[in-house]
Amino acid sequence: SLLQEIMTESEDQHRVFLNQPLDLLSKLHCKVTISSIRGSKVTGGLLAIDPVTDTAVIVDLGDGDVSDLSRCSVTVVPLVDWNSLEIIDASEEFKKQVRSVQAEQSQGCDLSEEELKTAREKVTNWLVKNGLTAVLRGEDLVIADAVILEPPFTAESCSATNEIILSRVQNILKSMPV
C-alpha cells in the first residue's frame, strides 16, 4: 500500500528530518492550502502538524470570528505533501484567530493572582533547571514555541501539537518537587 511504502522508505536520514519540522512549525496557525499525496487539497488554518506521520489538522474558521472549536469544520489530512504547502495568510491577526480556537478548550483555574505568579515562577525555574526556557505569552507559558502551559501550570494543563514533545515536558513537570 502507499502508506507502507512511505513509512518504510530506507534513506540515510529518517524522513521526519527531511520534512524540516522547525520550518513546518513556523507555518503553524497560518492560513494554508495543502495537498495530500493522493491529490486532495484543503485550505484553512493550520491547527496542528505531525511531521512523523505527515499529518495536518486544518480548521475552517468561516467568515466570522469563531472561538469555539465545535462550531468549526476540522479536517485531518493524512499523507501531506509538505512541498505543496502554500501560505495564504501569515498575518499575526489570522494566527491569533487560529490560536484562540485552541485556547477555548482550557479548563481555567481558581488560583488568585499571587498564587498564579508563585506557581508560574516555580515552574519557570524548574524548566530552566531542566534546560528549557519558557516565555510568558498572556497568562500562558510557551516552551520552545511548541508547548503551551496554561494556569495552574501543571502537567495536565499542557498542550502541544506534537505528542512526543508534550509527553517529555509533562514528565519534567511531574518530576517537579512539591
Side-chain angles (χ1 to χ4, degrees):
S1 83
L2 179 63
L3 182 59
Q4 285 176 324
E5 277 181 44
I6 293 167
M7 299 301 273
T8 58
E9 287 178 355
S10 61
E11 298 176 3
D12 293 341
Q13 193 175 29
H14 192 281
R15 65 183 182 75
V16 71
F17 298 109
L18 300 174
N19 290 339
Q20 301 174 338
L22 293 177
D23 183 46
L24 290 176
L25 190 61
S26 70
K27 297 169 180 157
L28 193 60
H29 304 125
C30 293
K31 184 172 187 173
V32 300
T33 296
I34 58 171
S35 298
S36 73
I37 289 178
R38 295 184 180 140
S40 61
K41 286 190 174 218
V42 180
T43 301
L46 188 56
L47 191 62
I49 301 169
D50 183 0
V52 176
T53 61
D54 290 328
T55 302
V57 178
I58 303 291
V59 63
D60 182 1
L61 300 176
D63 298 329
D65 181 26
V66 180
S67 59
D68 184 6
L69 190 58
S70 66
R71 295 182 185 189
C72 299
S73 171
V74 177
T75 306
V76 177
V77 183
L79 304 174
V80 172
D81 175 7
W82 297 115
N83 293 323
S84 75
L85 187 142
E86 180 184 332
I87 297 176
I88 296 169
D89 186 351
S91 68
E92 278 307 312
E93 182 181 325
F94 186 84
K95 288 181 177 182
K96 187 176 180 181
Q97 253 188 320
V98 175
R99 276 191 214 105
S100 72
V101 171
Q102 294 183 169
E104 288 301 313
Q105 298 174 24
S106 70
Q107 302 299 320
C109 74
D110 297 330
L111 298 179
S112 70
E113 285 298 316
E114 189 61 38
E115 291 169 322
L116 275 178
K117 183 179 176 191
T118 303
R120 185 173 37 244
E121 288 172 0
K122 182 179 176 184
V123 166
T124 302
N125 291 337
W126 182 249
L127 292 169
V128 167
K129 267 189 173 177
N130 284 275
L132 297 173
T133 304
V135 177
L136 189 60
R137 186 185 296 156
E139 286 291 311
D140 303 335
L141 289 173
V142 180
I143 305 160
D145 262 341
V147 178
I148 298 173
L149 185 54
E150 299 174 331
F153 309 109
T154 63
E156 293 78 28
S157 64
C158 278
S159 63
T161 57
N162 183 307
E163 290 296 319
I164 295 168
I165 295 171
L166 177 62
S167 173
R168 291 185 179 166
V169 170
Q170 284 176 323
N171 287 337
I172 289 171
L173 292 171
K174 288 176 184 173
S175 69
M176 185 171 65
V178 179

